[in-house]
Amino acid sequence: MHAAAIPREVIARFEAIVGARHCISDPEQLRTYECDGLTSFRVRPALVVLPGSTAEVVAIVQLARAEGLPIVPRGSGTGLSGGALPVPNGILLGLSRMKRILEIDFDNQWMRVEPGVINLDISKRLAPQGYYYAPDPSSQQVCTIGGNVAENSGGAHCLKYGFTTNHVLGAKVVLSDGSIAELGGPVLDAPGYDLRGALVGSEGTLCVVVEVVLRILRKPEATRTFFATFPSTEEAGNAVSLIIAAGIVPAAIEMMDRLAIVAIKAATGVDWPDVGAALLMDVDGPVAEVEHTAAEATRLTRQAGALEIRVPRDAAERDVMWRGRKSAFAAMGRISPNYVVQDGVIPRSEIAPVLREIERLSASSGLRIANVFHAGDGNLHPLVLYDAAVPGQEKLAEETAGEILKICVRTGGSITGEHGVGADKAPYMTEMFSEDDLATMNMVRCAFDPEVRMNPGKVFPTPRLCGDKPGKYVPHETETAGLAGRG
Amino acid sequence: MHAAAIPREVIARFEAIVGARHCISDPEQLRTYECDGLTSFRVRPALVVLPGSTAEVVAIVQLARAEGLPIVPRGSGTGLSGGALPVPNGILLGLSRMKRILEIDFDNQWMRVEPGVINLDISKRLAPQGYYYAPDPSSQQVCTIGGNVAENSGGAHCLKYGFTTNHVLGAKVVLSDGSIAELGGPVLDAPGYDLRGALVGSEGTLCVVVEVVLRILRKPEATRTFFATFPSTEEAGNAVSLIIAAGIVPAAIEMMDRLAIVAIKAATGVDWPDVGAALLMDVDGPVAEVEHTAAEATRLTRQAGALEIRVPRDAAERDVMWRGRKSAFAAMGRISPNYVVQDGVIPRSEIAPVLREIERLSASSGLRIANVFHAGDGNLHPLVLYDAAVPGQEKLAEETAGEILKICVRTGGSITGEHGVGADKAPYMTEMFSEDDLATMNMVRCAFDPEVRMNPGKVFPTPRLCGDKPGKYVPHETETAGLAGRG
């Protein structure tokens, strides 16, 4: 889909705010911004603007408002749900230049950063003092904190430590009218409404984040990692259930099935055996606790039917194990020309039956499905493999991925665990929410952004504007232009 | 202040919904509902309605809307900020009859309850299976979960386990137009806006909660408690800092100063020595961890200058220690005819200097101030003692308590840690928030409740209605009638 033109004189006014080299309107250069990590959705934005300060963000938002232009905020563009998908008549607000660490308070364990700071760079900065930032999406080497806030990103270690929302204490934001508000802050349990919570996971539809206050944690004294293999996902799932039921909260329990193991081996050269399933687990805390808990978790893992349990000899070997797990999505390229990454949640107790249902879907569709996921959270990531060169396979893969989501909802789970709703999952929101639930969300959106210019076309299943009556809305034809077809 | 009359025929319609015996309009009986735990604010409601089901709540809200009547929700009325203070022309919606436990899912560690369930009754119900509900306000034997949600209640063990907001996964609510919405739910990280977060701590100003989904936890394998005495709060504060800086997260660290210890001894007969300060600490987790962590915390406590460290011999002795701490507020009655309980937060690193400032305030005002508080969270509870029989002392005590709040804000803290804003702290909101911050909160309130009929006069510093322009508001004369003067 091609971008609608923004008049040259309006572009000049954006250039005056951020400087000509931070304003991209050349059609070829705009291609870079056509999609985020969900490459099957592509829309060329009318203009990309890259501010370097809060004052510039305010000026951009005010100008966009005066011109009636939609705004799509974007960090590194690693999101997997199309949350940063541009709209053809709008501006893409890239925040990656705003990457200063503004303040660190070790005594009270918080820091203030700009949204463009890379996730892993935070922990690198804190490491010398023995602190770190807990949420660790697999893309943490490249994704930004602003993007993490937008999508409420998770990661392998969220089982024990929680999602982004549990680590964002506050934010400074620019509202759609250009005013600035502080939501939450370093102080514990700020009075008034917890709009910090509503912000995290709002996918850029409420406001633009210009500063984030993060909780920082002391690095645990010790971490014990082990890798366990099983005949099938059935025994691996039982191990997870036994461990959790025993009251143990590992820092992470990741499950990989046979196909995922094959792909990871091909891509990274880890020396894992060919087995039906594997678990990669971290236990962390004070040394005494870790020794005890790791021993107990190992015992339960054996009891569930583990074939082998490997403990890395040193940090280097541990890193290899974790690199294997974290490269799983990319590794699919070794065994399939194309794949769809799905992201859904099921109650932890339903892992085994749901994996069996996914296997049946694989058999009936004829498409291979690999599973690699955060087992402790019940956060599945089925990877539906296909070949785009075979007519109809892409569509079949997407339908199959969609069927998996419906299974998740049917078992009492959710259509997304950590990748967000974005453009991709918006049509599935009605599987989880009643019209009244969505109307309640929409009335909050309308409070923040009555003109629906902040990332339109995302999150909500049908295009909607803010009507006269709070909580109600009317579909609006031009907004649908923001959603491109696939491919 | 006397209640405005609601016409007899309207009362009859409320009676038709809940039954005559659950509808209170007799002026003498209404006196019971004039205040919550903040007894210095009193307003007689026009009518008390006690629904027994969600359907009744919906019918009440719809009727109140048709009649233009404000609604103040209330649980057990133990709140300390006047959050359940009635409005003279409105109805008080008492939810204590809705106290069913609807569903418990041990496998996935959540339960669904009605708002009138008593906090401690939940843990009692879960105990046989080895589970509990973590937030433990001192009033937990009588306060309701609905009230906890409204005020985002804390408790001694929130240092490790977090506040109510960290344990509420979702809620079913009735909006001011009578529609029903689900905010969040049992599933991890529900997609869409996290309005669950905005609900918790909203003090009844957004909607009426009719069901709550709570996270339940496995009871820790072991708990080690110790009681340490110090020459002054200075050394006790240092002990807290050393422990936290060492990366230890105790389940609770409670501090009591000399005056608090004197009062607690007089009220409960605990055999504590006369010292300048004491810490009561819980460490919990797996046995191995607890042994290690308790030993390390004890070592640091000695290093900070503890006079004596006592370890309870058995569960009974531990209970006596904790009963001592939890009865601290009530114990003030033994040493003073009257007192004001303050609730503020400071950065943990500021405990010692702030306590010195409070001491100076005590000296300059001539009023004794006892300190008993959640030291690990920096959540102060200064108790300003006075004699209402001495002309001017009550006013002086309230002014002194107000000065303490300003100190909290000046050091980067907050005007409330766990008691909420309610009617009491509303005037102090401007100390923490800019006009734009408050306007942002108000636009969310207006989205939920455009007629401002849900608990008017609470949270926001000045009466405000929802204007034509989202985020803006206009003061409205009649609303001020909802706020009574003190005394």
Side-chain angles (χ1 to χ4, degrees):
Chain A
M1 179 171 289
H2 287 284
I6 293 181
R8 184 59 231 173
E9 64 273 19
V10 176
I11 292 177
R13 291 172 66 196
F14 281 110
E15 286 175 347
I17 295 168
V18 294
R21 70 199 184 95
H22 299 307
C23 223
I24 298 166
S25 57
D26 173 70
E28 269 318 296
Q29 284 182 287
L30 287 175
R31 288 181 69 97
T32 313
Y33 296 91
E34 277 181 352
C35 67
D36 59 12
L38 183 75
T39 55
S40 53
F41 284 64
R42 290 179 185 272
V43 174
R44 200 169 304 172
L47 184 70
V48 173
V49 188
L50 306 168
S53 69
T54 296
E56 290 182 8
V57 172
V58 169
I60 291 164
V61 168
Q62 285 171 337
L63 177 52
R65 184 189 199 198
E67 298 294 330
L69 296 170
I71 298 172
V72 178
R74 174 187 164 115
S76 294
T78 56
L80 292 167
S81 61
L85 185 75
V87 291
N89 56 334
I91 65 170
L92 191 72
L93 186 67
L95 292 154
S96 50
R97 287 180 61 219
M98 292 179 64
K99 55 183 175 192
R100 288 179 303 163
I101 289 177
L102 301 169
E103 194 178 357
I104 307 180
D105 182 342
F106 288 106
D107 283 346
N108 298 298
Q109 306 197 341
W110 59 267
M111 68 191 295
R112 187 182 285 270
V113 305
E114 289 186 330
V117 173
I118 301 297
N119 175 300
L120 193 61
D121 286 352
I122 292 174
S123 290
K124 283 184 185 161
R125 168 67 187 78
L126 300 173
Q129 285 82 13
Y131 286 82
Y132 79 116
Y133 173 69
D136 61 336
S138 291
S139 57
Q140 69 181 136
Q141 298 195 11
V142 283
C143 66
T144 65
I145 283 296
N148 293 175
V149 170
E151 301 296 337
N152 189 17
S153 301
H157 293 80
C158 291
L159 171 58
K160 178 169 179 179
Y161 292 102
F163 288 79
T164 298
T165 192
N166 301 113
H167 298 272
V168 170
L169 299 171
K172 182 188 277 191
V173 301
V174 177
L175 304 183
S176 63
D177 67 355
S179 62
I180 291 177
E182 293 269 357
L183 312 181
V187 71
L188 204 76
D189 182 31
Y193 301 148
D194 177 17
L195 300 182
R196 176 212 64 75
L199 169 70
V200 180
S202 64
E203 309 198 14
T205 62
L206 296 183
C207 50
V208 181
V209 173
V210 288
E211 291 180 15
V212 192
V213 181
L214 301 173
R215 182 196 308 281
I216 61 178
L217 297 181
R218 283 295 301 254
K219 271 199 282 196
E221 193 177 291
T223 301
R224 293 285 175 275
T225 299
F226 68 86
F227 174 82
T229 58
F230 300 86
S232 77
T233 51
E234 191 86 22
E235 294 85 2
N238 287 343
V240 173
S241 297
L242 280 177
I243 289 166
I244 300 287
I248 295 172
V249 184
I253 314 185
E254 300 290 299
M255 198 190 293
M256 292 156 279
D257 71 0
R258 183 182 299 275
L259 199 48
I261 293 169
V262 167
I264 291 168
K265 285 175 67 174
T268 68
V270 289
D271 66 338
W272 294 348
D274 287 319
V275 287
L279 289 180
L280 180 61
M281 193 175 321
D282 269 359
V283 175
D284 68 14
V287 174
E289 175 193 359
V290 165
E291 300 286 344
H292 167 81
T293 309
E296 183 64 9
T298 305
R299 189 183 67 74
L300 294 167
T301 302
R302 275 191 220 291
Q303 185 184 319
L307 298 169
E308 184 195 7
I309 296 178
R310 295 187 187 182
V311 177
R313 267 172 313 221
D314 51 26
E317 205 170 284
R318 173 177 186 271
D319 285 350
V320 169
M321 286 180 176
W322 270 106
R323 258 208 310 279
R325 161 60 188 93
K326 291 215 172 182
S327 63
F329 291 2
M332 292 302 140
R334 295 300 182 108
I335 59 167
S336 176
N338 306 92
Y339 61 93
V340 177
V341 181
Q342 193 45 288
D343 169 47
V345 179
I346 55 172
R348 199 161 42 212
S349 55
E350 300 295 318
I351 289 178
V354 168
L355 289 180
R356 281 196 297 272
E357 279 204 68
I358 291 175
E359 217 173 294
R360 277 195 290 274
L361 268 182
S362 171
S364 64
S365 67
L367 297 174
R368 291 177 300 165
I369 303 178
N371 286 288
V372 46
F373 60 100
H374 310 313
D377 287 329
N379 185 184
L380 303 181
H381 290 313
L383 296 139
V384 183
L385 312 186
Y386 70 94
D387 184 349
V390 178
Q393 268 212 355
E394 179 167 5
K395 187 160 172 287
L396 180 63
E398 282 171 5
E399 285 168 2
T400 304
E403 284 304 309
I404 295 174
L405 279 197
K406 289 181 185 168
I407 295 170
C408 291
V409 174
R410 210 166 56 226
T411 60
S414 159
I415 58 168
T416 171
E418 54 185 11
H419 296 174
V421 177
D424 189 32
K425 301 288 181 73
Y428 295 95
M429 288 287 275
T430 49
E431 302 276 335
M432 282 194 72
F433 296 103
S434 73
E435 210 28 60
D436 276 348
D437 296 343
L438 291 169
T440 306
M441 289 185 202
N442 194 57
M443 73 191 190
V444 171
R445 182 212 202 133
C446 291
F448 274 86
D449 178 26
E451 296 166 9
V452 196
R453 285 186 304 97
M454 296 302 305
N455 209 5
K458 314 298 161 53
V459 181
F460 291 93
T462 45
R464 50 190 75 190
L465 288 188
C466 303
D468 296 331
K469 197 147 167 282
K472 305 301 171 187
Y473 43 81
V474 289
H476 189 271
E477 209 178 337
T478 62
E479 204 198 349
T480 59
L483 266 180
R486 296 209 175 205
Chain B
M1 181 170 287
H2 286 283
I6 293 181
R8 185 58 231 172
E9 65 272 21
V10 176
I11 292 177
R13 292 171 65 195
F14 281 110
E15 286 175 346
I17 296 169
V18 294
R21 70 199 185 94
H22 300 306
C23 221
I24 299 166
S25 57
D26 172 71
E28 269 318 296
Q29 285 183 286
L30 286 175
R31 289 182 67 97
T32 313
Y33 296 91
E34 277 183 353
C35 65
D36 58 12
L38 182 76
T39 54
S40 53
F41 284 63
R42 289 180 187 271
V43 174
R44 199 169 307 170
L47 184 70
V48 172
V49 189
L50 306 168
S53 68
T54 296
E56 289 182 9
V57 172
V58 169
I60 292 164
V61 168
Q62 284 171 338
L63 177 52
R65 184 191 198 195
E67 297 295 329
L69 296 170
I71 297 172
V72 177
R74 173 187 164 116
S76 294
T78 55
L80 292 167
S81 60
L85 185 75
V87 293
N89 55 335
I91 65 171
L92 191 73
L93 186 67
L95 292 154
S96 50
R97 287 181 62 220
M98 292 178 65
K99 55 183 176 190
R100 288 179 302 163
I101 290 178
L102 302 170
E103 195 179 356
I104 307 181
D105 181 342
F106 288 105
D107 283 345
N108 298 297
Q109 305 196 341
W110 59 267
M111 68 192 294
R112 186 182 287 270
V113 304
E114 288 187 330
V117 173
I118 301 297
N119 174 299
L120 193 60
D121 286 351
I122 292 174
S123 291
K124 282 184 187 163
R125 170 66 187 77
L126 300 174
Q129 284 82 14
Y131 287 81
Y132 79 117
Y133 174 69
D136 61 336
S138 291
S139 56
Q140 68 181 139
Q141 299 194 11
V142 283
C143 64
T144 65
I145 283 295
N148 293 176
V149 170
E151 302 297 336
N152 189 16
S153 300
H157 293 79
C158 291
L159 171 58
K160 179 169 179 179
Y161 292 102
F163 288 80
T164 298
T165 192
N166 302 113
H167 298 271
V168 170
L169 299 170
K172 181 188 276 191
V173 301
V174 177
L175 304 183
S176 63
D177 67 354
S179 62
I180 290 177
E182 293 270 356
L183 312 180
V187 72
L188 204 76
D189 181 30
Y193 301 147
D194 178 16
L195 300 182
R196 176 212 64 77
L199 168 71
V200 179
S202 63
E203 309 197 15
T205 62
L206 296 183
C207 49
V208 181
V209 173
V210 288
E211 291 180 15
V212 192
V213 181
L214 301 173
R215 181 195 309 280
I216 61 178
L217 298 181
R218 282 296 300 251
K219 269 199 282 194
E221 192 177 291
T223 302
R224 293 285 175 274
T225 300
F226 68 86
F227 174 82
T229 59
F230 300 86
S232 77
T233 52
E234 191 86 23
E235 294 86 0
N238 288 343
V240 174
S241 297
L242 281 177
I243 289 165
I244 300 287
I248 295 171
V249 184
I253 313 185
E254 300 290 300
M255 198 189 293
M256 291 155 279
D257 71 0
R258 183 183 299 275
L259 199 49
I261 293 168
V262 167
I264 291 168
K265 283 174 68 175
T268 69
V270 288
D271 65 336
W272 295 347
D274 287 319
V275 287
L279 290 180
L280 181 60
M281 194 176 319
D282 268 358
V283 176
D284 69 13
V287 173
E289 174 193 0
V290 165
E291 300 287 344
H292 167 81
T293 310
E296 183 64 11
T298 305
R299 189 182 68 74
L300 294 167
T301 302
R302 275 192 219 292
Q303 185 184 320
L307 298 169
E308 184 195 8
I309 297 178
R310 295 188 188 181
V311 177
R313 265 171 314 217
D314 52 26
E317 206 170 285
R318 173 177 185 268
D319 285 349
V320 170
M321 286 181 175
W322 271 106
R323 259 208 309 280
R325 160 60 188 94
K326 292 215 171 184
S327 65
F329 293 0
M332 293 301 140
R334 295 299 183 109
I335 60 168
S336 176
N338 306 92
Y339 62 93
V340 177
V341 180
Q342 191 47 289
D343 169 46
V345 179
I346 55 172
R348 199 163 41 214
S349 55
E350 301 294 319
I351 288 177
V354 167
L355 289 180
R356 280 195 297 273
E357 279 204 69
I358 291 175
E359 215 172 296
R360 278 195 290 275
L361 268 182
S362 172
S364 64
S365 67
L367 296 176
R368 292 176 301 164
I369 304 178
N371 286 288
V372 46
F373 61 101
H374 310 314
D377 288 329
N379 184 185
L380 303 182
H381 289 313
L383 296 140
V384 184
L385 311 187
Y386 69 94
D387 184 348
V390 179
Q393 268 212 354
E394 179 166 6
K395 188 162 173 285
L396 180 62
E398 283 172 4
E399 285 167 2
T400 305
E403 285 304 310
I404 294 174
L405 278 197
K406 289 180 186 168
I407 295 170
C408 291
V409 174
R410 209 165 59 226
T411 59
S414 160
I415 59 169
T416 170
E418 54 185 11
H419 295 173
V421 177
D424 189 33
K425 301 288 180 72
Y428 294 95
M429 287 288 275
T430 51
E431 303 274 335
M432 282 194 73
F433 295 104
S434 72
E435 213 24 63
D436 276 348
D437 296 343
L438 291 169
T440 306
M441 288 185 205
N442 195 56
M443 73 191 190
V444 171
R445 181 210 204 139
C446 290
F448 273 86
D449 178 25
E451 296 166 9
V452 196
R453 285 186 303 98
M454 295 302 305
N455 210 4
K458 315 298 161 54
V459 181
F460 292 93
T462 45
R464 51 190 73 191
L465 287 188
C466 303
D468 296 332
K469 198 149 167 277
K472 305 300 171 189
Y473 44 83
V474 289
H476 189 273
E477 208 175 337
T478 61
E479 204 197 347
T480 59
L483 265 181
R486 296 209 175 205

